[in-house]
Amino acid sequence: MLKNKIHILSIAFLLAGQISKAQSAVWLDKLDLSVATQGNGKPGINTSVDGKKLTIAGKTFDRGFGTHAESSLLIKLNGKATKFSALVGLDDEMKGHEPAVEFEIYGDNKKVWSSGIMHLGDQAKPVSVSLKGIKQLELVVTDGGNGPYYDHADWVDARFETTGVSTLETFNPIASEPYILTPRPAAVPKINSAGIYGVRPGSAFLFRIPATGERPMAFAAKNLPKGLTIDSQTGIITGKIDTKGTYEVLLSAKNAKGSVSKKLRIESGDKIALTPTMGWNSWNCFGHEVSADKVKRAADALVRSGLVNHGWNYINIDDSWQYNRDGKDPSFKGQFRDKDGYILTNSKFPDMKNLGDYIHANGLKMGIYSSPGPWTCGGCAGSYGYEKQDAESYARWGVDYLKYDWCSYGGVIDGLPDNDPSKVPSLAFNGGGDLDKGVKPFKLMGDLLYGQPRDIVYNLCQYGMGDVWKWGDETHAQSWRTTNDITDTWASVKSIALAQDKAALYAKPGNRNDPDMLVVGVVGWGNPHQSKLKPDEQYLHISLWSIFSAPLLIGCDLEKLDDFTLNLLTNDEVIAVNQDALGKQGICLNTIGELKIYVKDLEDGGKAVAFANFGREKAKLSYKDFKKLGISGQQTVRDLWRQKDLAGIDVAVQSLPLDIPAHGVAYYKLSPLK
Ligand code: GAL
């Protein structure tokens, strides 16, 4: 009897074991997709990213994961899955646009499959990969090399074959709690300006001394060149210098708690923007919803938040101050320009000169945007054929900065088809790499701006085509985008950051590589949301843009600044590296696994060093390889984010302990011990 029972029990156990080892199907759409990171919107469960029926090349699907490039989803398999299969493709909901993506699958960080570049209308591509022995799987959608625009990408009928488990765990290993590192500014005065400022003789001079400390504060400037005066209450210096020359000025600030002085070298000559531009741009937060009112409020917020006291001073209007070709503006009467070819502003910008005056009255500068083609990227009137009038309008309105795009110029690179701008698509990117035809429109506008009776900083926005860093200076530009548009995703920040080194040696005072704007705070291109970058990713982003000597343009809604974002943007030691007068761009001199170590030489003989961890695991090590960084002897190590000296070390014999979070950074300054 007992024997029988034991027998029955053991058969039951055996069966149970077989059942639990049995193969089962686990659908991707049943997993927690909310941890995925993606370029836009929220992960669609059995829907596209826009919440519609999943549709690829005319076929609809009931199940799947609708996402947006650049996208990443991590899944723990722990050897429990044997196969993954799916169909992939671009969702039809973006018909009329030209998205491109590449689907990729990584097993334990090794690429195991890729779709190749896919376009809208391509049949869904089948994928079936063996997962034997793989612990961790990553499903990735890249931007296909043409930026993440309209990249609505679907994984449909996606499922795993598993053994012994009925679900799988998705995860995101990057910490999400914000933490504050920058100490609050002290009550005593501190001047935070760069050490150098460039102006052309005869141009309007406008410089607001950035200073932290308790208000009221009284400002003064010794040895100001003839033609300049300072307002002692605001610290705004105005006027004009008629002659070329170098002027060593001593700025000072005084309040109830004390006083301070700082040298400023004014270079009156040919070069402007000797240190990277710092300010705000409307595109990443407002997109086409920008208006004069929002721009004024941004200027007010820049002052009220105290950002201005750390050197942030440009207020740049991006696309959509002109009439759009869609003709929807209520005041549009079919004309983009007046009878003499001068551009008309849309109803949201009733008076540009007045807006310029408002911005300048705060000691700030005004920026604007256009494109060399007949249309901007957003379909507004571009400068093609009217470059002279546009340059004159900018000067008349008091514009201090022009961002000049590419977009529709591809459609007129060989002339205007049928003499009809309406035949030119707004997005025609071809030809930018052609060193003859692609340089021409930038040189044309650059020469015209250079001829205006005011300094207009010139930024080229053609995404690095034709190695723009090699010829941008010849067009009178001071900065140029090196890469495609940034988005608030790790994939975007990482790929842009890793693409900067090739241009680094071309950077110098007055010439900057521009990796695009800062994606911190409330961004969203008209759909406001908090940046999707995790706190450590934001520290890494700001540290690298600092060490790259990149133009620093805040892309968020300044009226919605939270403590974390404000803190991130007001670290004067991090900013000082960016603004260093030597003007070098930091470059990666050592790579250890996924840890990249960037080094920038500074004017005072010190070096900024950013240990940037691009990996998903924390980097804990004792760092010794200082030779590779060009650092020797006794050094003081200062933590720039904490504004604290860490240690004095002799790098020949001692090592530096590092413990850097995943996707995080340690940002230090090493100075030879005197
Ligand atoms: C893009 C540019 C963006 C923004 C946009 C406006 O080409 O890279 O930063 O300016 O055009 O339409």
Side-chain angles (χ1 to χ4, degrees):
M1 197 54 188
L2 191 67
K3 241 184 175 181
N4 268 352
K5 257 194 183 161
I6 291 173
H7 190 63
I8 291 165
L9 271 176
S10 49
I11 290 176
F13 274 126
L14 215 81
L15 273 176
Q18 269 172 3
I19 288 164
S20 71
K21 288 251 163 58
Q23 293 271 319
S24 55
V26 173
W27 290 85
L28 179 65
D29 54 82
K30 286 283 182 202
L31 309 187
D32 176 8
L33 303 180
S34 67
V35 297
T37 56
Q38 56 182 50
N40 242 305
K42 289 206 176 83
I45 303 166
N46 300 326
T47 69
S48 71
V49 67
D50 274 357
K52 301 203 185 110
K53 184 100 186 161
L54 294 156
T55 314
I56 302 171
K59 272 200 196 129
T60 58
F61 300 86
D62 292 332
R63 307 197 73 155
F65 164 33
T67 185
H68 193 297
E70 303 184 56
S71 163
S72 155
L73 175 68
L74 284 160
I75 305 144
K76 276 187 192 154
L77 305 180
N78 296 330
K80 298 274 193 267
T82 50
K83 196 174 129 188
F84 174 74
S85 60
L87 290 163
V88 298
L90 276 155
D91 198 287
D92 284 358
E93 69 189 351
M94 281 296 114
K95 254 196 191 133
H97 296 287
E98 292 178 11
V101 296
E102 183 159 13
F103 293 81
E104 295 176 341
I105 301 179
Y106 291 81
D108 295 331
N109 295 325
K110 274 193 215 90
K111 202 192 272 187
V112 292
W113 181 82
S114 112
S115 65
I117 306 282
M118 293 190 73
H119 299 97
L120 196 118
D122 289 353
Q123 296 293 325
K125 229 179 223 180
V127 41
S128 172
V129 288
S130 163
L131 303 177
K132 284 208 183 99
I134 293 179
K135 291 202 180 70
Q136 180 183 306
L137 194 74
E138 186 182 12
L139 301 181
V140 170
V141 186
T142 73
D143 71 0
N146 67 346
Y149 317 110
Y150 312 107
D151 287 347
H152 294 207
D154 300 335
W155 301 86
V156 297
D157 290 347
R159 48 184 255 172
F160 297 88
E161 272 171 29
T162 58
T163 21
V165 291
S166 56
T167 189
L168 294 167
E169 194 190 327
T170 57
F171 70 107
N172 187 329
I174 312 303
S176 23
E177 257 327 286
Y179 58 98
I180 288 205
L181 291 180
T182 305
R184 284 200 168 282
V188 288
K190 180 164 171 283
I191 296 178
N192 299 310
S193 78
I196 186 167
Y197 183 78
V199 65
R200 294 197 185 110
S203 292
F205 189 99
L206 179 65
F207 182 90
R208 176 173 173 145
I209 301 173
T212 44
E214 206 175 87
R215 276 7 191 216
M217 196 175 278
F219 294 92
K222 250 195 218 154
N223 308 330
L224 272 184
K226 198 165 150 257
L228 300 189
T229 52
I230 181 165
D231 178 320
S232 64
Q233 272 176 27
T234 59
I236 298 175
I237 303 174
T238 51
K240 74 177 178 341
I241 310 174
D242 284 327
T243 46
K244 285 194 171 186
T246 299
Y247 304 93
E248 302 282 351
V249 175
L250 192 68
L251 307 174
S252 61
K254 193 172 161 190
N255 68 8
K257 296 279 160 46
S259 63
V260 73
S261 301
K262 184 170 181 182
K263 281 188 196 149
L264 174 70
R265 195 164 84 238
I266 298 176
E267 295 282 1
S268 171
D270 216 31
K271 294 265 170 215
I272 56 172
L274 297 180
T275 62
T277 310
M278 289 177 70
W280 173 87
N281 172 294
S282 62
W283 184 249
N284 288 0
C285 52
F286 298 135
H288 291 296
E289 306 300 313
V290 66
S291 67
D293 179 53
K294 284 184 180 153
V295 171
K296 279 185 183 171
R297 277 163 37 199
D300 292 346
L302 193 87
V303 175
R304 198 176 51 240
S305 63
L307 282 167
V308 71
N309 301 330
H310 301 269
W312 303 93
N313 61 359
Y314 279 79
I315 293 289
N316 293 355
I317 308 158
D318 207 279
D319 208 356
S320 244
W321 55 269
Q322 329 82 325
Y323 281 121
N324 196 292
R325 66 192 301 181
D326 66 12
K328 285 191 185 143
D329 191 286
S331 69
F332 184 60
K333 297 202 178 65
Q335 300 300 322
F336 296 96
R337 296 179 172 271
D338 71 11
K339 63 176 184 11
D340 299 316
Y342 288 93
I343 192 152
L344 302 172
T345 54
N346 67 32
S347 60
K348 292 182 293 164
F349 288 88
D351 188 343
M352 273 300 189
K353 168 83 173 69
N354 172 278
L355 182 55
D357 290 347
Y358 186 91
I359 292 171
H360 293 149
N362 283 296
L364 306 175
K365 314 246 176 128
M366 174 163 78
I368 212 163
Y369 164 95
S370 188
S371 189
W375 310 109
T376 65
C377 302
C380 297
S383 297
Y384 184 72
Y386 299 98
E387 293 83 358
K388 181 170 176 293
Q389 287 94 327
D390 282 0
E392 285 171 14
S393 297
Y394 303 153
R396 202 175 56 248
W397 296 336
V399 167
D400 305 290
Y401 181 104
L402 173 69
K403 170 177 172 183
Y404 206 44
D405 213 312
W406 175 260
C407 284
S408 65
Y409 194 82
V412 293
I413 199 158
D414 292 313
L416 184 60
D418 300 332
N419 215 12
D420 181 0
S422 73
K423 293 204 167 148
V424 180
S426 303
L427 301 180
F429 292 104
N430 54 298
D434 183 318
L435 276 189
D436 200 12
K437 295 177 181 173
V439 176
K440 195 174 128 200
F442 293 109
K443 178 97 176 73
L444 174 65
M445 181 55 95
D447 288 346
L448 285 161
L449 293 178
Y450 187 70
Q452 299 307 311
R454 67 180 291 114
D455 292 349
I456 303 179
V457 174
Y458 187 32
N459 170 263
L460 313 185
C461 176
Q462 50 80 290
Y463 340 108
M465 293 184 290
D467 292 354
V468 60
W469 45 91
K470 295 184 179 154
W471 51 263
D473 188 37
E474 291 159 30
T475 70
H476 290 305
Q478 284 74 42
S479 58
W480 35 80
R481 284 267 300 277
T482 48
T483 29
N484 271 325
D485 285 20
I486 198 165
T487 59
D488 56 324
T489 59
W490 170 247
S492 171
V493 168
K494 177 179 173 180
S495 70
I496 288 179
L498 296 180
Q500 297 310 309
D501 276 1
K502 58 180 182 287
L505 296 177
Y506 293 86
K508 56 176 190 281
N511 280 184
R512 302 286 159 206
N513 296 305
D514 175 5
D516 206 1
M517 295 172 276
L518 304 174
V519 274
V520 301
V522 174
V523 291
W525 299 264
N527 294 310
H529 61 260
Q530 199 69 42
S531 170
K532 282 182 271 181
L533 292 181
K534 299 289 176 78
D536 285 316
E537 297 172 343
Q538 299 194 34
Y539 278 117
L540 177 139
H541 173 35
I542 303 294
S543 305
L544 290 186
W545 268 234
S546 151
I547 207 162
F548 291 158
S549 310
L552 298 178
L553 289 170
I554 301 171
C556 72
D557 186 341
L558 294 181
E559 290 188 321
K560 293 190 182 136
L561 275 176
D562 56 286
D563 286 352
F564 173 76
T565 310
L566 186 62
N567 188 266
L568 202 61
L569 297 172
T570 50
N571 187 311
D572 297 311
E573 298 194 17
V574 169
I575 294 172
V577 173
N578 173 270
Q579 297 286 305
D580 187 74
L582 197 59
K584 294 264 168 95
Q585 175 169 332
I587 196 162
C588 176
L589 293 181
N590 188 195
T591 302
I592 306 169
E594 301 220 62
L595 182 69
K596 292 208 164 266
I597 302 153
Y598 290 86
V599 181
K600 170 175 166 159
D601 292 344
L602 301 170
E603 197 189 28
D604 67 3
K607 285 181 200 279
V609 184
F611 296 89
N613 182 6
F614 288 94
R616 284 198 201 110
E617 319 258 302
K618 76 165 165 169
K620 199 165 174 175
L621 66 154
S622 284
Y623 187 77
K624 304 194 204 39
D625 240 345
F626 289 97
K627 246 195 197 151
K628 290 205 170 117
L629 311 185
I631 295 172
S632 57
Q634 299 270 350
Q635 300 278 332
T636 15
V637 182
R638 185 163 176 84
D639 182 326
L640 294 174
W641 280 110
R642 294 180 174 82
Q643 302 186 348
K644 213 163 114 188
D645 284 344
L646 290 185
I649 65 167
D650 181 349
V651 300
V653 288
Q654 287 169 293
S655 58
L656 186 65
L658 295 173
D659 189 354
I660 309 166
H663 293 187
V665 70
Y667 196 19
Y668 296 155
K669 178 173 172 181
L670 275 76
S671 310
L673 217 74
K674 285 179 193 125

Coordinates of all heavy atoms in Angstrom, one line a residue, residues 467-471 473 480 482 499-514 547-549 582-589 598-601:
D467 N 31.7 67.5 -43.0 CA 32.7 67.9 -41.9 C 32.7 69.4 -41.7 O 33.7 70.1 -41.9 CB 34.1 67.4 -42.3 CG 34.2 65.9 -42.2 OD1 33.2 65.2 -41.8 OD2 35.2 65.3 -42.6
V468 N 31.6 69.9 -41.4 CA 31.4 71.4 -41.3 C 32.5 72.0 -40.4 O 32.8 73.2 -40.6 CB 30.0 71.7 -40.8 CG1 29.7 71.1 -39.4 CG2 29.7 73.2 -40.7
W469 N 33.0 71.3 -39.4 CA 34.0 71.8 -38.5 C 35.2 72.2 -39.2 O 36.0 73.0 -38.7 CB 34.3 70.9 -37.3 CG 34.5 69.4 -37.8 CD1 35.6 68.8 -38.2 CD2 33.4 68.4 -38.0 NE1 35.4 67.5 -38.6 CE2 34.1 67.3 -38.4 CE3 32.1 68.4 -37.7 CZ2 33.4 66.1 -38.7 CZ3 31.4 67.3 -38.0 CH2 32.0 66.1 -38.5
K470 N 35.4 71.7 -40.4 CA 36.7 72.0 -41.2 C 36.5 73.3 -42.0 O 37.5 73.9 -42.3 CB 37.0 70.9 -42.2 CG 37.3 69.6 -41.5 CD 37.8 68.5 -42.4 CE 38.1 67.2 -41.7 NZ 37.9 66.1 -42.5
W471 N 35.3 73.7 -42.2 CA 35.1 74.9 -43.1 C 34.1 76.0 -42.5 O 34.0 77.1 -43.0 CB 34.6 74.6 -44.5 CG 33.4 73.6 -44.6 CD1 33.5 72.3 -44.7 CD2 32.1 74.0 -44.5 NE1 32.2 71.8 -44.8 CE2 31.3 72.8 -44.6 CE3 31.4 75.2 -44.3 CZ2 29.9 72.8 -44.6 CZ3 30.0 75.2 -44.3 CH2 29.3 74.0 -44.4
D473 N 34.4 78.0 -40.1 CA 35.0 79.3 -39.8 C 35.1 80.2 -41.0 O 34.9 81.4 -40.9 CB 36.4 79.0 -39.2 CG 37.1 80.3 -38.7 OD1 36.4 81.1 -38.1 OD2 38.3 80.4 -38.9
W480 N 28.8 75.4 -35.0 CA 28.1 74.5 -36.0 C 27.7 73.2 -35.3 O 28.4 72.6 -34.6 CB 29.0 74.2 -37.2 CG 30.4 74.1 -36.8 CD1 31.0 73.0 -36.3 CD2 31.4 75.1 -36.9 NE1 32.3 73.3 -36.0 CE2 32.6 74.6 -36.4 CE3 31.4 76.5 -37.3 CZ2 33.8 75.3 -36.3 CZ3 32.6 77.2 -37.2 CH2 33.7 76.6 -36.7
T482 N 27.2 69.4 -35.0 CA 28.0 68.3 -35.6 C 27.1 67.1 -35.8 O 27.6 66.1 -36.5 CB 29.0 67.9 -34.5 OG1 28.3 67.8 -33.2 CG2 30.1 69.0 -34.4
A499 N 30.0 61.0 -30.7 CA 30.4 61.4 -32.1 C 31.2 62.8 -32.1 O 31.4 63.3 -33.1 CB 29.1 61.6 -32.9
Q500 N 31.5 63.3 -30.9 CA 32.1 64.6 -30.9 C 33.6 64.7 -31.1 O 34.2 65.6 -31.6 CB 31.8 65.3 -29.6 CG 30.3 65.6 -29.3 CD 29.6 66.2 -30.5 OE1 30.1 67.2 -31.0 NE2 28.6 65.7 -31.0
D501 N 34.3 63.6 -30.8 CA 35.8 63.6 -30.8 C 36.4 64.0 -32.1 O 37.4 64.6 -32.2 CB 36.4 62.3 -30.3 CG 36.4 62.3 -28.7 OD1 36.0 63.3 -28.1 OD2 36.9 61.3 -28.2
K502 N 35.7 63.5 -33.2 CA 36.3 63.7 -34.5 C 36.5 65.2 -34.9 O 37.3 65.5 -35.7 CB 35.5 63.0 -35.6 CG 34.0 63.5 -35.7 CD 33.3 62.7 -36.7 CE 31.8 63.1 -36.9 NZ 30.9 62.7 -35.9
A503 N 35.7 66.0 -34.3 CA 35.7 67.4 -34.6 C 36.5 68.2 -33.5 O 36.7 69.4 -33.7 CB 34.3 68.0 -34.7
A504 N 36.9 67.6 -32.5 CA 37.4 68.3 -31.3 C 38.6 69.2 -31.6 O 38.7 70.3 -31.1 CB 37.8 67.3 -30.2
L505 N 39.5 68.8 -32.5 CA 40.7 69.6 -32.7 C 40.5 70.9 -33.4 O 41.3 71.7 -33.5 CB 41.8 68.7 -33.4 CG 42.3 67.6 -32.5 CD1 43.3 66.7 -33.3 CD2 42.9 68.0 -31.2
Y506 N 39.3 71.0 -34.0 CA 38.9 72.2 -34.7 C 38.4 73.3 -33.8 O 38.1 74.5 -34.3 CB 38.0 71.9 -35.9 CG 38.6 71.1 -36.9 CD1 38.6 69.7 -36.8 CD2 39.2 71.6 -38.0 CE1 39.3 68.9 -37.8 CE2 39.8 70.9 -39.0 CZ 39.9 69.5 -38.8 OH 40.5 68.7 -39.8
A507 N 38.1 73.0 -32.6 CA 37.5 74.0 -31.7 C 38.6 74.9 -31.2 O 39.7 74.5 -30.9 CB 36.8 73.2 -30.5
K508 N 38.2 76.2 -31.1 CA 39.1 77.2 -30.5 C 38.2 78.4 -30.2 O 37.0 78.4 -30.5 CB 40.2 77.6 -31.5 CG 39.7 78.0 -32.9 CD 41.0 78.4 -33.7 CE 40.7 79.2 -35.0 NZ 40.3 78.3 -36.1
P509 N 38.8 79.4 -29.5 CA 38.0 80.6 -29.1 C 37.3 81.1 -30.4 O 38.0 81.4 -31.4 CB 39.0 81.6 -28.6 CG 40.1 80.7 -28.0 CD 40.2 79.5 -29.0
G510 N 36.0 81.3 -30.4 CA 35.3 81.8 -31.5 C 34.9 80.7 -32.5 O 34.2 81.0 -33.5
N511 N 35.2 79.5 -32.3 CA 34.8 78.3 -33.2 C 34.4 77.1 -32.3 O 35.3 76.5 -31.6 CB 36.0 77.9 -34.0 CG 36.2 78.8 -35.2 OD1 37.1 78.5 -36.0 ND2 35.5 79.8 -35.4
R512 N 33.2 76.8 -32.4 CA 32.7 75.7 -31.5 C 31.9 74.6 -32.2 O 31.1 74.9 -33.1 CB 31.7 76.3 -30.5 CG 32.2 77.4 -29.6 CD 33.1 76.8 -28.6 NE 33.9 77.9 -28.1 CZ 35.1 77.8 -27.6 NH1 35.6 76.6 -27.5 NH2 35.8 78.9 -27.3
N513 N 32.1 73.4 -31.8 CA 31.3 72.3 -32.2 C 30.1 72.2 -31.4 O 30.2 72.3 -30.1 CB 32.1 71.0 -32.1 CG 33.3 71.0 -33.0 OD1 33.1 71.2 -34.2 ND2 34.5 70.8 -32.5
D514 N 28.9 72.1 -32.0 CA 27.7 72.2 -31.3 C 26.9 70.9 -31.3 O 26.4 70.5 -32.3 CB 26.8 73.3 -31.9 CG 25.4 73.4 -31.3 OD1 25.1 72.8 -30.3 OD2 24.6 74.2 -31.9
I547 N 32.7 69.9 -20.8 CA 34.1 69.6 -21.2 C 34.3 69.7 -22.7 O 35.4 69.9 -23.2 CB 34.5 68.2 -20.6 CG1 36.1 68.2 -20.4 CG2 34.1 67.0 -21.5 CD1 36.5 67.1 -19.5
F548 N 33.2 69.5 -23.4 CA 33.3 69.7 -24.9 C 33.4 71.2 -25.3 O 33.5 71.5 -26.5 CB 32.0 69.1 -25.6 CG 31.9 67.6 -25.6 CD1 30.6 67.0 -25.7 CD2 33.0 66.8 -25.4 CE1 30.5 65.7 -25.7 CE2 32.8 65.4 -25.3 CZ 31.6 64.8 -25.5
S549 N 33.3 72.1 -24.4 CA 33.2 73.5 -24.7 C 32.1 73.8 -25.7 O 32.2 74.5 -26.6 CB 34.5 74.0 -25.3 OG 35.6 73.6 -24.5
L582 N 41.0 79.4 -22.7 CA 41.9 78.7 -23.6 C 41.1 78.2 -24.8 O 41.7 78.1 -25.9 CB 42.6 77.6 -22.9 CG 43.9 77.0 -23.5 CD1 45.0 78.0 -23.7 CD2 44.4 75.9 -22.6
G583 N 39.9 77.8 -24.5 CA 39.0 77.4 -25.6 C 39.2 76.1 -26.2 O 38.7 75.8 -27.3
K584 N 39.9 75.2 -25.6 CA 40.1 73.8 -26.1 C 38.8 73.0 -25.9 O 38.0 73.3 -25.0 CB 41.2 73.1 -25.3 CG 42.6 73.8 -25.6 CD 43.3 73.0 -26.6 CE 44.5 73.7 -27.1 NZ 45.7 73.3 -26.6
Q585 N 38.7 72.0 -26.7 CA 37.6 71.0 -26.5 C 38.1 69.8 -25.9 O 39.1 69.2 -26.4 CB 36.9 70.7 -27.8 CG 35.8 69.6 -27.7 CD 35.0 69.5 -29.0 OE1 34.8 70.5 -29.8 NE2 34.4 68.3 -29.2
G586 N 37.5 69.3 -24.8 CA 37.9 68.0 -24.2 C 37.7 66.8 -25.2 O 36.9 66.8 -26.0
I587 N 38.6 65.9 -25.0 CA 38.6 64.7 -25.9 C 38.8 63.4 -25.1 O 39.4 63.5 -24.0 CB 39.7 65.0 -27.0 CG1 39.5 64.0 -28.1 CG2 41.1 64.9 -26.4 CD1 40.3 64.5 -29.4
C588 N 38.4 62.3 -25.6 CA 38.5 61.1 -24.8 C 39.9 60.5 -25.0 O 40.4 60.3 -26.1 CB 37.5 60.0 -25.3 SG 37.7 58.4 -24.5
L589 N 40.7 60.4 -23.9 CA 42.1 59.9 -24.0 C 42.3 58.5 -23.5 O 43.3 57.9 -23.6 CB 43.0 60.9 -23.2 CG 43.1 62.3 -23.8 CD1 44.1 63.1 -23.0 CD2 43.6 62.3 -25.3
Y598 N 37.5 61.7 -20.5 CA 37.7 62.9 -21.3 C 38.5 63.9 -20.6 O 38.4 64.1 -19.4 CB 36.3 63.6 -21.7 CG 35.5 62.8 -22.6 CD1 34.6 61.8 -22.2 CD2 35.5 63.0 -24.0 CE1 33.9 61.0 -23.0 CE2 34.8 62.3 -24.9 CZ 33.9 61.3 -24.4 OH 33.2 60.6 -25.3
V599 N 39.4 64.6 -21.3 CA 40.3 65.5 -20.7 C 40.3 66.9 -21.5 O 40.3 66.9 -22.7 CB 41.8 65.0 -20.7 CG1 42.7 65.9 -20.0 CG2 41.8 63.6 -20.0
K600 N 40.3 68.0 -20.7 CA 40.4 69.3 -21.4 C 41.4 70.1 -20.7 O 41.4 70.3 -19.4 CB 39.0 70.0 -21.3 CG 39.0 71.4 -21.7 CD 37.6 72.1 -21.7 CE 37.8 73.6 -21.8 NZ 36.7 74.3 -22.3
D601 N 42.3 70.7 -21.4 CA 43.4 71.6 -20.9 C 42.7 72.9 -20.5 O 42.0 73.5 -21.3 CB 44.5 71.8 -21.9 CG 45.3 70.6 -22.2 OD1 45.2 69.6 -21.4 OD2 46.0 70.5 -23.2

